Structures are given as structure tokens and as C-alpha cells.
Amino acid sequence: MKYPILVLSLLLTLSFGSVTAQSYSDIANQKTGSISLAPSSIVGLWEVTQVTVGIDTMTPKAKWFEFLTDGTLSSGNGWLQNYLGSFNYDEDTQELLQASQGVVDEYGAFQIKIVDKSMTWQRTEEGQPVKISLTRASKKPLGPWDLLVGRWTIEKAEGLNPETGAVVSEYAMRPEAYIFRWDREYRKFDENNERSETGIWQIGAHSAELSIISNEGKSTVKWALEFIDNQMIWIQKGDTETMKVYFKKGE
């Protein structure tokens, strides 16, 4: 049920100003002295595992939500927090309503289902069904942009058959290195540790695709990213070969 914004604002003023995680039965039990002091079942840190809009899957990388007992809600992607607001979760109706800076979520409440360590949110947005699947987390997930930050040295490169995945070419690489900064700047160094290139890097919110934008040539090169322990792999598909460049961290 989608409530009018004016009504939602009034509800939030009343409920967010005190104990935002209370349900209607909690309020009744409080008056009779039998209220439970246990925190709401939604309180805690949750990681998003899948987002579907209609028939499309649109899962963001490393997305998380954290609900606190005082009714505060924050969320972000990896180490980046990009939302701070309040929430009201009704245990009876299992509806979750969110607000940020006094503005109620324009699409209204989510219908919530919590089973053990899993949770799903569902509602309709612009005529399409939206479903968000989450799981409890002990720490915030890291995104590829978090893993990228630091110094990386090129180890080797190889070309693969795009159909079979078999290695068809091996390339001798100079031990050049990149430093990727948290502020989205990068610096490239040659084998003598002399700076040879600078620019901007970017990774999309829904894919592990790295864009390297050079200041010198104003060119943009895109690579798919993989991380295995302390190794990073850049992947670029071509007509005859799939190029893979391997990096090691910290040297």
C-alpha cells in the first residue's frame, strides 16, 4: 500500500523521533508492561546478494545496509557509505519504510520477509516488481575499487583463444607498475621506477570493469577485472585473442 507523502511525513515525525523499530503490538505491550527488550529482527548489517527489476538482474557490487537500534539506517558500496537516513520496520505487517534528510522514500514501503540469515524486500516501482535479496554479514563487503587501491606490478601477459580459453600466445612484459589512489587518480611507472603516465581510473557500480583514462593521450582503455588473493588480472576480449595481463601487489 502506497501512503500519501503528507501522511508518511507525519508518521515518520511521530515514529522516527522515538523508537523507530517498534511495531503496533510492541506499543500495546509497552503499555501493559510486557514489551520485549530484544532488538528488532532487521537490526544489523546486511549484504545485498541480488537485485531484480522486472525480468532484469541489476545487482550492484558490494552493496550493504546497516540498521541500528536507534532507527538509523546507513548503506553503501564497499568502504564507501553513500546513504544515511532513518527507518521504520513494523514487525506485525513486515513493512519497511525509509527516509533520508526528512524525505520519505517516494516508492513507499518494502514488504519484508526474514528467514534465518536471509531477507528479501519486495515492492513495485514505476509499474515493475522489484526484489532485493540480502544476507546477514559480519563485515562490510569489499568492492573491486577497494581491492584495486595500492601499488601493482606487471608480471606477465598472455593471449587466449576466445572460444576454448587455451593459451595461444605469451608476452614478455617489462616490470612496469601502477599506483591506484583512493581519489581515483593513478600513476604509471616504467621499469626504472620513473613516472611515465598519469590519469583517472573508474569502476562501474554494477560491473567489475576498469576504465583507464590517460591524461596524456586523453584516451580511455577498458578492462574486465579479476582478483585472486594478491594477484590482479586484467582481461580484454579481441576478435582473435583474449588478452590477460597479470599483476602482483605491493612491489
Side-chain angles (χ1 to χ4, degrees):
M1 180 177 182
K2 192 168 181 179
Y3 301 95
I5 295 298
L6 180 60
V7 175
L8 286 176
S9 299
L10 178 59
L11 288 174
L12 291 173
T13 300
L14 294 174
S15 60
F16 287 0
S18 53
V19 183
T20 62
Q22 284 185 313
S23 67
Y24 299 120
S25 62
D26 288 336
I27 297 171
N29 289 335
Q30 187 176 31
K31 292 180 179 179
T32 61
S34 58
I35 188 172
S36 171
L37 297 179
S40 169
S41 56
I42 203 172
V43 168
L45 180 65
W46 297 84
E47 179 180 354
V48 174
T49 56
Q50 188 178 65
V51 175
T52 58
V53 180
I55 62 173
D56 299 320
T57 299
M58 305 176 64
T59 309
K61 292 289 184 181
K63 185 66 180 178
W64 54 267
F65 290 85
E66 187 169 25
F67 299 88
L68 302 183
T69 55
D70 65 356
T72 301
L73 166 62
S74 61
S75 70
N77 299 75
W79 287 338
L80 175 65
Q81 178 178 308
N82 46 39
Y83 181 91
L84 180 63
S86 304
F87 74 96
N88 185 30
Y89 176 56
D90 191 312
E91 295 275 2
D92 291 333
T93 63
Q94 295 184 307
E95 288 185 327
L96 170 66
L97 192 60
Q98 304 175 28
S100 178
Q101 298 180 348
V103 179
V104 179
D105 189 335
E106 63 177 312
Y107 294 110
F110 281 101
Q111 192 67 42
I112 305 297
K113 183 177 181 181
I114 301 175
V115 179
D116 297 327
K117 295 183 179 180
S118 298
M119 176 166 60
T120 57
W121 303 0
Q122 289 183 290
R123 70 181 180 187
T124 299
E125 298 181 9
E126 298 180 358
Q128 294 201 81
V130 174
K131 182 179 180 181
I132 303 175
S133 300
L134 309 93
T135 185
R136 283 199 179 275
S138 58
K139 57 184 179 181
K140 295 174 181 177
L142 297 182
W145 46 83
D146 300 315
L147 300 172
L148 180 69
V149 171
R151 183 182 177 95
W152 296 87
T153 303
I154 298 176
E155 290 185 293
K156 64 177 182 177
E158 57 189 22
L160 283 65
N161 184 304
E163 294 183 359
T164 66
V167 177
V168 295
S169 304
E170 293 185 356
Y171 301 92
M173 302 295 291
R174 296 175 180 175
E176 297 178 323
Y178 286 83
I179 291 180
F180 295 96
R181 293 160 44 107
W182 66 269
D183 60 0
R184 299 299 192 266
E185 289 187 356
Y186 79 86
R187 297 170 183 173
K188 185 179 180 181
F189 297 84
D190 62 22
E191 64 270 30
N192 299 315
N193 204 33
E194 297 289 335
R195 189 166 67 185
S196 60
E197 182 180 312
T198 62
I200 302 296
W201 65 270
Q202 183 180 23
I203 296 178
H206 291 81
S207 67
E209 184 179 70
L210 170 66
S211 295
I212 298 290
I213 307 167
S214 170
N215 286 333
E216 283 73 14
K218 302 298 181 181
S219 60
T220 300
V221 180
K222 295 185 177 183
W223 298 85
L225 276 180
E226 287 184 4
F227 292 93
I228 303 175
D229 298 326
N230 286 324
Q231 187 178 61
M232 174 174 64
I233 306 171
W234 292 7
I235 306 167
Q236 192 175 90
K237 293 184 177 180
D239 294 333
T240 59
E241 284 188 356
T242 295
M243 177 70 71
K244 283 192 173 184
V245 183
Y246 296 81
F247 295 77
K248 56 184 175 180
K249 193 169 188 179
E251 297 186 15

